[in-house]
Structures are given as C-alpha cells and as structure tokens.
Amino acid sequence: MSLVYERAEILGCRLDVIDMAGALQVVQDAVGSREPSQIITLNAEMVYRAQHDRRLIDLYSKARLVTPDGIGVVWALRRAGWQIAGRVTGIGLTLRILDMAREKNWRIFLLGGEPGIAEQAARKLAASDKPLTVVGVHHGYFHDQESPRIIEQVRAARPDVLLVGLGAPRQDIWIANHLQALGVPVCIGVGGTLDVLAGKAKRAPRVWRRLGLEWLYRLVNEPSRIKRQMALPKFAWLVLTKIRPAGKRSRPPRQKSYR
Ligand code: UDP
C-alpha cells in the first residue's frame, strides 16, 4: 500500500498536505525502494526566500516530500482551505525517524554542525536504551570543493538515512545537487537538530511548541535570529494579500487518502 497525499502550493512553493504518520510512511517506502529521495521540511522563512530565488521553487517541486514545518505555513495552508492536522517539523520528524531506525535497524549518517557536534550526537544516540546504528559523521563547515570527498565517505558507509544539518536553504540545495551521487534512500535537511541531539541546544518546551511559539523560543535563546525572522511578517503579508480565504474557493480541497 502506498500513501497518496495532496500537493498544495503556497506562494508558488510546493507543500504536501500530510501528517506525521504519512511522512513516516513515505520515509519507510523510500528506505524499502532504495530510491534516493529528498525530504524537505518547509517553513515560512524558506517560502519567503523562494519568492526571490526561483531555484528554490524548482528544488521544492522535485523533492520526494515537502512537509509543513512551522505554524506560518500551516496557517497559510488552512487559509487556502486545506485540512491539515498540524506541523511536521524537522526535529519532530527526525526524532520519529530515529525511533523507527532503532526498530528496523536502519543505518544513519550525521552530517552537519560545528566540528565535534555530530560525533557528540552519535555518542548520545549510541548510548541510549535502544542504541542506534550511526555509520558515519562529518561536521558541516566545509567548502564545496570538499563535497566529493564527503560524498565518498557517505557512500562508503552505506546509510539508509542521511541527516543533513547545514541550515536552510544550504542543506536542501546540497542534498538536491548530490542526491544521486550520495545514493542514500532518505536524505533530509534537519537544521539545528544535530545540536539538540548532541545536547548543545535545547528544544522549545512542549507548551511553547503546542502554542506554535517555537520560533519565539528560539529567538529569545538566539537573538541573532532576528534578522532571519524579519521574513515572517513579510510572509504573513503575502499570505494575507495573495491567498484568498477558502470560503471564496470554487472547488473544495480534496482530502488525503490511502490507496
Ligand atoms: N551549520 C553548518 N554549516 C554551516 C552553517 C551552519 O553545519 O556552514 C549548522 C549549524 O552549526 C547549526 C545548523 O547548521 O547546527 C543550522 O542551524 P539553524 O538553527 O540555523 O537552522 P534551522 O533549524 O533554523 O534551519
């Protein structure tokens, strides 16, 4: 059984109408088929950035899966009339993929973060109650000329899942450029998730997450994010002015279904 889900479009960017269970099914299908697949978790900042960079719009359209990461894109989807359970964030999806990896004995490669972070994350993952098979690590501060060497290292390790934490959109561009050469069934951009796995950064407390305020928590803890987050009001303005509320749509959106 393969999962069928709708592809929505928000301000020109492809976004899949899918929940966590559906996203995990896609991950499982990709590992099963061994077909190299890119997963993107898309937030408002990335959609806003794509308004000035058509290459990103193209990149999103070619991925295997683009999930709604962030309350801004969920709001935009709902305004457009899509029924969506909630966010499927990079960190949330990654933690669930890692749980699944423990069960199914998948091989994981961690790429990204400052030198030492991926190693530290790997050590923590290996030391947990149900250890995880981490088959390789590499930090994320490398020049593009070094990519062939890193790709070789990843290929030799034969992972099922590659977590790439270089920050968006660099991580998503890097995966798209090297997807076939990497040959890894599931390649996913995970932002600062490796820092959380390593214990260097903390995830927003559950109550903040439930209120859709993860962005505010991160801003309070990392005030330098303010420059990036200036995209959020601009994104909101575009949504309000360019997306007609669902009531005015002539065709009701179709629901996710299983085949
Ligand atoms: N990073 C990296 N290489 C770079 C720039 C950033 O590996 O050249 C890492 C950085 O150390 C951090 C992550 O990428 O772990 C970016 O985190 P950020 O919070 O910016 O990403 P987001 O979660 O917002 O996409």
Side-chain angles (χ1 to χ4, degrees), residues 112-114 140-141 165-168 170 191-192 195 218 225 228:
E114 288 168 8
Y141 288 80
L166 307 176
R170 184 178 169 218
D195 294 325
R218 295 191 75 183
R225 293 181 79 87
R228 292 171 47 173

Side-chain angles (χ1 to χ4, degrees), residues 6 23 28 39 42 46 67 69 97-98 105 134 142 153 188 215 219 229 240 257 259:
E6 295 291 339
Q28 212 174 320
I39 297 181
L42 193 73
M46 291 157 77
T67 74
D69 175 349
I97 291 174
L98 296 180
N105 218 3
V134 179
F142 57 88
Q153 192 179 328
I188 175 169
W215 61 272
L219 182 61
Q229 293 194 346
L240 288 171
S257 60
R259 184 169 60 192

Side-chain angles (χ1 to χ4, degrees), residues 222-236:
E222 257 179 275
S224 58
R225 293 181 79 87
I226 188 71
K227 217 170 131 206
R228 292 171 47 173
Q229 293 194 346
M230 287 312 287
L232 301 182
K234 295 177 188 161
F235 167 84

Side-chain angles (χ1 to χ4, degrees), residues 8-188:
E9 201 183 283
I10 294 297
L11 303 173
C13 296
R14 172 268 188 104
L15 194 49
D16 296 322
V17 183
I18 199 161
D19 58 12
M20 182 61 85
L24 287 169
Q25 182 67 55
V26 174
V27 167
Q28 212 174 320
D29 289 350
V31 173
S33 72
R34 311 304 299 167
E35 181 68 27
S37 310
Q38 174 166 22
I39 297 181
I40 296 173
T41 66
L42 193 73
N43 62 26
E45 205 182 299
M46 291 157 77
V47 172
Y48 183 73
R49 195 161 175 154
Q51 306 305 299
H52 308 281
D53 188 347
R54 304 279 321 168
R55 286 172 313 168
L56 294 177
I57 290 191
D58 188 45
L59 191 152
Y60 303 154
S61 73
K62 291 185 177 142
R64 170 84 176 247
L65 182 68
V66 182
T67 74
D69 175 349
I71 200 69
V73 285
V74 167
W75 165 64
L77 281 172
R78 288 186 177 145
R79 180 176 168 87
W82 297 97
Q83 285 187 9
I84 179 124
R87 303 180 300 155
V88 180
T89 63
I91 183 149
L93 182 56
T94 303
L95 294 176
R96 297 294 299 273
I97 291 174
L98 296 180
D99 282 344
M100 201 173 248
R102 288 187 178 95
E103 251 171 56
K104 299 186 182 290
N105 218 3
W106 288 344
R107 300 160 66 85
I108 309 290
F109 196 109
L110 310 177
L111 168 61
E114 288 168 8
I117 289 293
E119 282 89 343
Q120 203 172 318
R123 269 197 300 277
K124 290 212 167 194
L125 292 170
S128 56
D129 289 348
K130 267 186 127 188
L132 193 74
T133 314
V134 179
V135 292
V137 295
H138 197 286
H139 66 80
Y141 288 80
F142 57 88
H143 286 291
D144 218 35
Q145 301 95 285
E146 296 176 77
S147 292
R149 174 182 60 76
I150 294 165
I151 292 166
E152 207 32 65
Q153 192 179 328
V154 174
R155 280 188 76 91
R158 292 180 295 103
D160 299 294
V161 177
L162 171 63
L163 306 184
V164 184
L166 307 176
R170 184 178 169 218
Q171 59 197 18
D172 306 301
I173 296 170
W174 193 85
I175 293 173
N177 286 345
H178 304 301
L179 187 63
Q180 295 307 324
L182 287 161
V184 180
V186 174
C187 298
I188 175 169

